[in-house]
Amino acid sequence: MELVTMVVLVIIVIALLVYNIIVSRRIKNFKDINQKVTSLNVLQDFMSTIGDVQSVDEKIVKINEILIEQYAIKYSTIVVFDGSEYVVKASNVDKKHWETLRNLQSEEIFTDSITTAKPKYVTVNTEEERLPYQKMEFGRAKSAMFFPLYIDNVYIGYWIIESGRMHAFDHIDTTILEVVKDNITSIFKIVSYQNIVENLTRKDLYSDLKTSEYLYEEGRKTIDSYTTSTVCMFKIANLVETNEKINRDTGNQMIVDICDYIKDRLSSEYIFVRYMGPKFAIVFSGIEIDGVVEFLEDLKKDVEALEIEDVIVAEANEKLPEGKKKKVLTVHPRLNFVLSTYYKGTALEKVLKELEEYLDAANEKESDINNI
């Protein structure tokens, strides 16, 4: 009887052990699946952020917020070298600590991590200790993980996560964090092109308008707040002729007078830029083509009625005695317009390219309003 009881107990113990092993594996699988789902959601959020009409800096801040929320990170900071110095691009740490956080590349404890491109984990063992890089703080962070960031083997900065608990990252799956780090790097690689475009935007000397790059960044925020807009490009058809047959000063004055006249008649919601050379672009945000044509017909008529004086002769006349005035030659602008519809989320640059190609291929004598 006792032997039977022992056998039964052994079978029960073995069964429980097997059951516990199965449950443990299921829990582990569940955790792995949950981590993968979380990582997939984070990646989807990252990609959504890339597509938002935000500046590069706004996107990086948003990405950091996603990391903090999805991974329940206490502190997360992204630091990037901008070509002259290290800059905190995003952080939920109090700004009084940013000076320390943006100089971690100088800390000996992280030198090997930067050299080998491997993460570095640091923690304290007692409440009285502080992390090696902490200068003025004692209670904020008790453990941290440092991830150097590289693009095409070029070191660009780092991502550091911190916790107020000791040994907070002892059992964390670093594989997942490495994937997150790679995603951060990928995002930087993508938005670096946007950053270039943002920094390329200039103000044109004569027209006092932003250059065409403005359309693809800051201006697009306004444009994409509407489902459809009308894109208009016009060319001063006789600008080159004016420069050659009269003088360039008069051609420049033509640009000034035309742009001043048009700017005064456009809503602040409409984007007006100097596209290239004699070509200019206006985006009528939220307006259908039918609602633009009549306005442009009147605008074209008024602009072409402007009289642009020969600047050099006009200035010379001011120095002559009364009654000795020379006849001042005047020229009237001649504009050629072409219109198209832009749909939110589509390629604005493609629409502009088609308009440009139309104007470049048009006869120099053409002066009309066309819709393509």
Side-chain angles (χ1 to χ4, degrees):
M1 185 69 179
E2 290 182 2
L3 180 61
V4 173
T5 303
M6 288 290 292
V7 170
V8 170
L9 288 174
V10 169
I11 292 172
I12 291 172
V13 169
I14 293 173
L16 287 172
L17 286 172
V18 171
Y19 177 77
N20 285 335
I21 291 171
I22 292 171
V23 170
S24 296
R25 286 178 177 175
R26 286 180 176 175
I27 291 173
K28 184 179 184 302
N29 288 337
F30 175 78
K31 286 181 177 179
D32 289 343
I33 292 170
N34 189 51
Q35 282 282 18
K36 290 177 181 177
V37 170
T38 299
S39 295
L40 180 60
N41 289 336
V42 169
L43 182 57
Q44 289 175 332
D45 288 341
F46 278 10
M47 299 311 293
S48 176
T49 300
I50 291 174
D52 288 345
V53 283
Q54 299 174 313
S55 69
V56 169
D57 287 344
E58 288 171 332
K59 287 179 180 179
I60 296 170
V61 170
K62 179 64 177 176
I63 286 167
N64 200 50
E65 290 172 353
I66 292 169
L67 294 173
I68 292 165
E69 180 181 349
Q70 292 287 353
Y71 291 103
I73 296 170
K74 179 68 173 177
Y75 301 112
S76 176
T77 301
I78 299 173
V79 178
V80 175
F81 184 66
D82 69 356
S84 59
E85 63 179 352
Y86 285 85
V87 178
V88 175
K89 287 293 186 180
S91 180
N92 65 330
V93 178
D94 193 303
K95 284 192 175 182
K96 66 184 179 182
H97 302 304
W98 283 18
E99 185 63 25
T100 296
L101 289 171
R102 77 179 188 88
N103 286 300
L104 297 184
Q105 77 286 341
S106 302
E107 295 291 333
E108 186 177 350
I109 194 170
F110 297 125
T111 302
D112 287 344
S113 176
I114 294 171
T115 303
T116 60
K118 294 180 179 179
K120 176 71 176 181
Y121 176 32
V122 292
T123 187
V124 297
N125 295 308
T126 67
E127 289 295 335
E128 292 73 28
E129 288 183 78
R130 63 179 178 180
L131 296 174
Y133 62 85
Q134 293 179 327
K135 307 300 181 185
M136 300 172 57
E137 50 187 319
F138 287 90
R140 185 182 65 82
K142 296 296 183 182
S143 52
M145 288 201 74
F146 177 93
F147 296 88
L149 302 176
Y150 282 80
I151 293 181
D152 298 332
N153 296 320
V154 177
Y155 174 64
I156 64 163
Y158 48 88
W159 171 44
I160 183 169
I161 59 174
E162 301 170 291
S163 173
R165 295 185 294 108
M166 295 183 290
H167 298 278
F169 305 119
D170 283 6
H171 305 293
I172 197 167
D173 187 348
T174 56
T175 304
I176 295 295
L177 289 177
E178 282 285 353
V179 171
V180 173
K181 181 208 71 174
D182 291 341
N183 286 335
I184 293 173
T185 303
S186 297
I187 298 301
F188 269 108
K189 192 170 184 178
I190 293 170
V191 299
S192 65
Y193 300 111
Q194 179 184 348
N195 198 34
I196 291 170
V197 173
E198 287 181 359
N199 291 326
L200 280 176
T201 301
R202 297 287 186 270
K203 182 169 280 192
D204 179 59
L205 176 62
Y206 298 106
S207 65
D208 200 36
L209 299 174
K210 296 286 180 61
T211 54
S212 60
E213 292 82 8
Y214 180 79
L215 288 171
Y216 306 117
E217 283 307 319
E218 195 65 27
R220 196 160 187 162
K221 293 181 182 180
T222 300
I223 299 168
D224 277 355
S225 62
Y226 300 93
T227 305
T228 61
S229 299
T230 296
V231 182
C232 159
M233 188 176 291
F234 71 87
K235 180 179 181 180
I236 306 176
N238 60 336
L239 180 61
V240 174
E241 181 184 357
T242 300
N243 288 339
E244 292 175 351
K245 293 187 177 181
I246 303 178
N247 53 66
R248 186 168 291 275
D249 288 340
T250 303
N252 291 337
Q253 190 60 46
M254 181 183 287
I255 293 172
V256 172
D257 290 355
I258 290 173
C259 293
D260 286 347
Y261 188 88
I262 294 176
K263 276 187 291 187
D264 289 343
R265 284 152 184 80
L266 291 179
S267 163
S268 59
E269 287 290 292
Y270 303 155
I271 313 298
F272 183 24
V273 299
R274 184 166 190 179
Y275 188 76
M276 187 179 296
K279 295 183 288 287
F280 299 78
I282 306 173
V283 180
F284 295 91
S285 310
I287 306 297
E288 301 285 343
I289 285 182
D290 291 345
V292 170
V293 173
E294 186 177 349
F295 169 78
L296 289 180
E297 287 175 346
D298 292 337
L299 185 68
K300 183 176 186 297
K301 180 181 177 182
D302 292 341
V303 170
E304 291 182 341
L306 294 174
E307 291 189 347
I308 314 299
E309 293 185 340
D310 181 331
V311 173
I312 294 177
V313 175
E315 289 178 350
N317 278 351
E318 294 178 0
K319 301 175 183 178
L320 292 175
E322 191 68 31
K324 296 284 187 178
K325 301 290 185 183
K326 294 181 180 178
K327 184 178 179 180
V328 178
L329 180 66
T330 59
V331 60
H332 293 278
R334 191 173 66 251
L335 307 184
N336 196 21
F337 286 83
V338 61
L339 311 175
S340 188
T341 300
Y342 164 73
Y343 298 93
K344 177 181 178 179
T346 59
L348 177 60
E349 63 278 7
K350 184 176 180 181
V351 175
L352 289 162
K353 187 64 177 176
E354 289 176 351
L355 299 180
E356 180 185 20
E357 288 174 350
Y358 176 89
L359 290 176
D360 286 344
N363 189 297
E364 288 298 325
K365 300 297 181 183
E366 181 179 314
S367 177
D368 207 346
I369 298 176
N370 297 283
N371 180 13
I372 62 172

